[in-house]
Amino acid sequence: MNTRLPRFALAVCCMAAAAQSLPARAENPPGNGPRHFGGGGGAPGQGGPGGFGGRGFDPNSDEAKQYWDALKAFCEKHSPRRWQEIEDRIQKYGRRAGMPRISQMSFKFRELQKLEKEDPELHKIKVALIEIEDVEYGLITDLKSLDKSDEKRAAELRKQLRDENKQYVDLRLQERAHRLDRLARMVEDEKRKLADDTRHADRLADERLADLESQGPDFFLPRFNRRGDAGDAPAQPPTTTPANANPGK
C-alpha cells in the first residue's frame, strides 16, 4: 500500500466534507440521490472533518484522521474491490489519480452516516446496495478483460452478474416500498394534525391575532436565524400552530 495515500486522502475527504457543509437551497428526502455507490441518500451533513465550519480545515487534525479511518474501514468492508483499485491507481499513477473516486466515496459515506441516524432501515438497504454494486463492478471488470475465446468463463461471469443484478433490483423495490410506508405514515400524521387544528380553529385565530397586535408591522417582516439568513425561518408566522402543541387545551 502506498504510504502517501492517507495524508492525501485526508485532504480529499476534508474537501468533500467541506463542500457538503455549505447550506443547500433545497433538501432531498433522506436516501434519495444518484444511483452510483449505492444510490446515494439524503441531504449532506453539516460540518466536516478537520474542524470545517469555521474558515478552514486541517487534514492533519485528529477529527480528520478519525474520519479517514472510518471511511477506509467502511470501504474495505463494503466496497473492497473499488477501494483496492483506488490504492492500485495511486500506486501506479500517483496520488491525483485517486482523487475523484475517493471524493465520491467520501460524499456517499457522509450521506450514509447521516442516514444511519435518521432511518436505520433505509441505511441497511443502502449499504447492501453498495455491496452488490462492488461485486458487480468486479464481475464486469473481469468480463471485459476476459479473453473472448473463453466462452465458458464468460458464461459463468454473466450468470453471476445476472444473480447480483436480480438482488439489486429486489433491494431497490424494497427501498421504494419502505419510502411509501414512511410517506403513508407521514400523511396519516398530517391528517391527524389537520383534524386537530380544525377543531381548534378559533383558538388558533385568536393566537395569531394576539401575535399580530403584539408585534405590529414587524409581524410581516422575515425572521432571520442566527446565521443571518431567512432560509430556515418562515417569512411570517404560520397561520396555525402545530397540532397538539398544548394537548390539554
Side-chain angles (χ1 to χ4, degrees), residues 130-149:
I130 290 174
E131 294 173 344
I132 291 177
E133 283 185 341
D134 195 65
V135 174
E136 290 178 322
Y137 182 86
L139 291 171
I140 196 63
T141 300
D142 292 345
L143 181 61
K144 292 300 182 181
S145 62
L146 188 67
D147 190 325
K148 293 184 178 180
S149 63

Side-chain angles (χ1 to χ4, degrees), residues 15-76:
M15 287 188 287
Q20 285 200 334
S21 70
L22 297 176
R25 292 288 182 180
E27 291 188 354
N28 293 323
N32 189 18
R35 297 192 178 194
H36 300 294
F37 200 60
Q46 296 300 312
F52 187 88
R55 293 192 175 184
F57 59 88
D58 178 11
N60 295 314
S61 69
D62 290 339
E63 186 181 2
K65 292 175 182 176
Q66 290 173 4
Y67 176 79
W68 158 255
D69 289 341
L71 172 64
K72 184 175 185 290
F74 178 89
C75 291
E76 287 181 336

Side-chain angles (χ1 to χ4, degrees), residues 68-109:
W68 158 255
D69 289 341
L71 172 64
K72 184 175 185 290
F74 178 89
C75 291
E76 287 181 336
K77 180 178 180 180
H78 300 290
S79 189
R81 180 69 182 251
R82 284 175 286 184
W83 187 254
Q84 184 61 52
E85 183 173 290
I86 288 174
E87 293 187 337
D88 292 344
R89 286 174 64 85
I90 292 175
Q91 181 71 34
K92 185 175 181 180
Y93 301 110
R95 62 185 188 180
R96 289 188 179 276
M99 180 182 291
R101 297 191 183 188
I102 291 179
S103 180
Q104 181 191 37
M105 287 184 170
S106 179
F107 273 116
K108 295 304 173 188
F109 183 59

